[in-house]
Amino acid sequence: MFKGILVDKTEQDYNAEVKTLEEDVLINGDTLVRVSYSTLNYKDALAITGKSPVIRKFTMIPGIDLAGTVETCSTGKFNPGDEVLLNGFGVGEIQSGGLAQKALLKSDWLIPLPSALSAKQAMAIGTAGYTAMLCVMALEQHGIKPEVGEILVTGANGGVGSFAIAILAKLGYTVVASTGRVEESEYLKNLGATEVMDRSQLSQPGRPLAKERWAGVIDSVGSHTLVNACASTQYGGMVAACGLAQGMDLPGTVAPFILRGITLAGIDSVMRPIADRVEAWDRLANLLDADTLDKASKEISLTQAIDAAHDLIAGKIQGRIVIKMD
Ligand SMILES: NC(=O)c1ccc[n+]([C@@H]2O[C@H](COP(=O)([O-])OP(=O)(O)OC[C@H]3O[C@@H](n4cnc5c(N)ncnc54)[C@H](OP(=O)(O)O)[C@@H]3O)[C@@H](O)[C@H]2O)c1
């Protein structure tokens, strides 16, 4: 028996509750993990509240991230007692997820927990930090070095945006943060932003080409913001697009691509191959110190997670929520 959040949907009702569950609710896996920590991403909050159709199979244990200890592994890839980490792969959407004391997973989805990180620290980073690292790696692979120029980070106060700023600053980049919450400028500057701009400068329809400014962009916002970011990227620069906080649309022109040779790189964290995950997590473990992670996260219990999901959707939460399973 173990405790977990169970989400159920009927024609009349959408319900999320902490329940005592039996192991036979866990199916389609070869590796049983005792979860020690999980986290609450925006996607998890959508799944718990039912605000968006994240869950594709009911009933479901939500939670796209988890860290814990292997109990059994029938493939032999991991040994009992190994500490592991999981992000995405449809977990918490079509496969029972991390917001429970146990999870049955495929060993191919798991990576070893980096030795420099505790399970709690890994969940303070979560999919948000891992996706930010993938965006930074994309800029690096495009040859954008710190000396080339300023990097724009949109959705700066969000999970992805905050980690993108912290990582870029640690690597020596000059970061300009775009936000709707300019009153949080001090927080963003403490993370490493050198300048903070109001997101309204980017969120309205703009011209096909604007003054060249950014060497690179990390965008978690989409829509007009992404289009305007492309239009103001320097010749040969790159924009890493990972999110849709403003919208899923892309109402722009091809001008920045065919006249300035800029590259728009799509970043997906969910189905990312294991080698990239291991690289991203090793880099995160080396770059982010314990103090930063402690300050950026708040620990709550599994029973508090459902209320926290509603608060997250209501925009009442700053920083990362880490969920202790015991
Ligand atoms: N591709 C992937 O694999 C992947 C992985 C993780 C997340 N994502 C996506 O990336 C996005 C950000 O995720 P997150 O975890 O950082 O979410 P989050 O913590 O909710 O942050 C989103 C941020 O976007 C900004 N924003 C919100 N509404 C906006 C609007 N209408 N116009 C412009 N900006 C707006 C806000 O930043 P300010 O307050 O600073 O303006 C907000 O804090 C989401 O769309 C998420 O689905 C994708």
Side-chain angles (χ1 to χ4, degrees):
M1 305 284 265
F2 64 99
K3 284 206 161 56
I5 294 178
L6 203 65
V7 181
D8 199 6
K9 185 186 170 196
T10 62
E11 268 183 29
Q12 299 79 31
D13 201 20
Y14 193 96
N15 185 46
E17 240 182 290
V18 176
K19 289 201 165 171
T20 301
L21 304 165
E22 301 211 22
E23 267 182 30
D24 59 9
V25 299
L26 303 173
I27 50 170
N28 293 334
D30 50 47
T31 305
L32 185 64
V33 174
R34 172 162 283 280
V35 181
S36 49
Y37 283 93
S38 183
T39 179
L40 206 58
N41 294 285
Y42 192 74
K43 204 171 186 179
D44 302 319
L46 291 174
I48 290 170
T49 58
K51 292 280 180 224
S52 212
V54 168
I55 295 177
R56 286 173 277 158
K57 209 169 112 191
F58 292 89
T59 55
M60 177 60 64
I61 297 172
I64 64 169
D65 287 330
L66 66 88
T69 309
V70 171
E71 288 200 342
T72 59
C73 175
S74 63
T75 64
K77 200 165 170 182
F78 292 96
N79 294 312
D82 284 352
E83 293 216 77
V84 290
L85 175 61
L86 176 128
N87 310 105
F89 278 124
V91 169
E93 300 179 55
I94 50 169
Q95 166 88 16
S96 284
L99 288 169
Q101 290 169 332
K102 290 199 179 193
L104 187 66
L105 305 156
K106 298 214 166 124
S107 57
D108 286 348
W109 300 337
L110 297 166
I111 63 168
L113 183 71
S115 55
L117 289 176
S118 66
K120 183 180 171 185
Q121 289 169 332
M123 289 298 97
I125 297 170
T127 283
Y130 152 58
T131 303
M133 190 70 239
L134 292 176
C135 291
V136 173
M137 284 159 57
L139 294 180
E140 290 173 337
Q141 281 153 16
H142 197 72
I144 298 171
K145 297 196 164 66
E147 57 274 19
V148 181
E150 294 169 309
I151 308 294
L152 171 69
V153 173
T154 65
N157 269 294
V160 175
S162 298
F163 275 107
I165 294 168
I167 295 165
L168 287 165
K170 284 258 176 193
L171 292 169
Y173 288 88
T174 306
V175 187
V176 177
S178 163
T179 181
R181 290 182 264 175
V182 280
E183 66 278 11
E184 300 292 349
S185 292
E186 201 172 322
Y187 166 74
L188 297 173
K189 287 188 172 165
N190 280 337
L191 284 176
T194 50
E195 188 182 323
V196 177
M197 63 188 276
D198 195 308
R199 76 184 188 200
S200 61
Q201 291 181 50
L202 291 165
S203 60
Q204 302 304 316
R207 293 198 309 265
L209 289 173
K211 188 166 181 274
E212 291 177 59
R213 180 163 183 192
W214 320 115
V217 178
I218 295 182
D219 176 66
S220 59
V221 168
S223 192
H224 291 296
T225 300
L226 174 55
V227 170
N228 288 326
C230 291
S232 49
T233 294
Q234 290 173 15
Y235 191 94
M238 201 200 83
V239 178
C242 72
L244 42 63
Q246 184 181 359
M248 202 191 254
D249 56 332
L250 193 59
T253 76
V254 295
F257 310 106
I258 62 172
L259 298 176
R260 290 190 182 155
I262 80 142
T263 299
L264 179 58
I267 306 297
D268 169 60
S269 66
V270 179
M271 300 309 290
R272 194 77 176 204
I274 288 290
D276 292 353
R277 290 169 187 258
V278 171
E279 183 185 344
W281 275 100
D282 280 349
R283 302 254 335 250
L284 288 162
N286 287 325
L287 280 167
L288 299 172
D289 55 80
D291 193 41
T292 308
L293 294 174
D294 280 351
K295 279 190 194 140
S297 59
K298 182 184 160 201
E299 180 179 306
I300 62 169
S301 68
L302 188 60
T303 40
Q304 294 170 305
I306 294 173
D307 283 347
H310 287 275
D311 287 346
L312 200 152
I313 296 292
K316 291 185 194 160
I317 285 179
Q318 194 189 35
R320 301 269 305 146
I321 296 286
V322 171
I323 298 166
K324 190 171 188 200
M325 285 304 152
D326 284 349

